Amino acid sequence: MTVFEDLANMIITGQHTAAAEWAETELSNGVPPGEIIDKGMIPGMDEIGRRWKNQEIHMPEVLIAARAMKSCMAVVKPQLANASDTSRGSIVIGTVKGDLHDIGKNLVVMMLEGAGYTVHDLGNDVSPEAFVRATEEHGVDIVAMSALLTTTVPMMTETIDALKEAELRTKVKVIVGGAPVSDELAKKIEADGYAPDGASAVDVISKLVTAL
Ligand code: B1M
């Protein structure tokens, strides 16, 4: 078993304190934070997704795994943060209204902050009106939306419509992501970009910011 499998198992079994301590130790041993996320944390959560889909586990197991993921993120996040004071651009991000899934969105936030962007994270269950308010308030370049449920994907369209209504759509670029989202869907709802994961979100956003 590799060391990363140890961490994945701690996530799967919901050992939040052990997972956070593991991350702390390995960061101090020089393991890059990106490797901890990609080789330990995400595979652990992917396995939880597989077991839940196959009805091998129930909601409490999912929740304790999510808690372990968050404890680990709290340790890894400061190490990903870019030391530079110069922002590459500003982003408002949230999981759309009706959707409480925020683990993937939080990983995307970590990657963006690590790449030097200023991120205003609105959390989960974010209404179109709240996206509009934050876009106006912070004068951002990018509006980024996450959705994990097929039933909440239409909220992305509603949010884009709300941005149009507020005459903000031409001033910002919109990027969407999350498991039920695809490049095709992004084009259909007239978003400017789609990313399947945090690293690609950084690439897509960097192209969109350059095009502004
Ligand atoms: Co829910 N859930 N869940 N869940 N959950 C899924 C999504 C589901 C696929 C499970 C299943 O049935 N197989 C299913 C959705 C089915 C569908 O609509 N197609 C589902 C369901 C049905 C539900 C409930 C309705 C269950 C119920 O109550 N009966 C309910 C809904 C609650 C609500 O939101 N209103 C619910 C609840 C929950 C919990 C609260 C228990 C918990 C969420 C905890 C939390 O997030 N704080 C939970 C979890 C953990 C999951 C699974 C198991 C794991 C999701 C996750 O965190 N993955 C999930 C099954 C699965 O995904 N296999 C499932 C790990 C994470 C790193 O990946 O979120 O995909 P992901 O993020 C990735 C990419 O998608 C991408 O980058 C991330 C990093 O690589 N990405 C972006 C995400 N956002 C992006 C934005 C971008 C770019 C990339 O740009 C803006």
Side-chain angles (χ1 to χ4, degrees):
M1 190 185 287
T2 68
V3 283
F4 294 109
E5 281 174 69
D6 284 345
L7 176 60
N9 278 326
M10 288 171 198
I11 300 282
I12 293 165
T13 50
Q15 298 176 59
H16 65 107
T17 309
E21 283 170 1
W22 186 100
E24 242 161 36
T25 306
E26 294 309 322
L27 284 169
S28 63
N29 286 341
V31 176
E35 270 192 41
I36 294 179
I37 295 170
D38 291 342
K39 297 185 179 171
M41 293 166 63
I42 291 183
M45 211 57 211
D46 280 349
E47 175 60 14
I48 283 290
R50 192 196 63 74
R51 291 185 191 181
W52 199 32
K53 193 172 169 189
N54 294 338
Q55 298 178 339
E56 291 167 24
I57 55 173
H58 297 96
M59 191 69 87
E61 282 109 313
V62 178
L63 286 171
I64 62 165
R67 183 179 59 170
M69 197 76 180
K70 285 199 171 169
S71 301
C72 232
M73 274 189 210
V75 174
V76 176
K77 187 173 175 175
Q79 303 295 321
L80 269 181
N82 196 306
S84 154
D85 283 342
T86 324
S87 172
R88 293 176 64 193
S90 61
I91 299 160
V92 88
I93 191 168
T95 304
V96 296
K97 188 174 173 184
D99 201 324
L100 303 178
H101 297 87
D102 64 358
I103 294 172
K105 185 266 297 165
N106 293 344
L107 283 172
V108 174
V109 170
M110 277 167 50
M111 300 299 285
L112 290 170
E113 287 179 339
Y117 290 94
T118 303
V119 183
H120 305 278
D121 183 0
L122 307 183
N124 58 14
D125 194 16
V126 182
S127 67
E129 298 74 28
F131 272 109
V132 167
R133 266 199 309 277
T135 304
E136 275 169 341
E137 187 185 335
H138 301 295
V140 292
D141 307 302
I142 303 283
V143 174
M145 289 182 270
S146 176
L148 260 289
L149 297 170
T150 40
T151 49
T152 56
V153 167
M155 269 301 149
M156 291 180 159
T157 308
E158 289 204 23
T159 304
I160 291 175
D161 287 346
L163 289 169
K164 283 182 191 160
E165 187 108 338
E167 296 182 7
L168 290 168
R169 183 65 188 94
T170 52
K171 297 181 184 153
V172 292
K173 297 286 182 192
V174 173
I175 173 173
V176 290
V181 184
S182 63
D183 202 20
E184 198 187 3
L185 183 123
K187 288 193 177 95
K188 196 170 151 201
I189 65 172
E190 297 177 8
D192 300 299
Y194 156 75
D197 54 46
S200 333
V202 171
D203 291 343
V204 173
I205 285 178
S206 117
K207 286 191 187 111
L208 292 175
V209 168
T210 313
L212 269 170

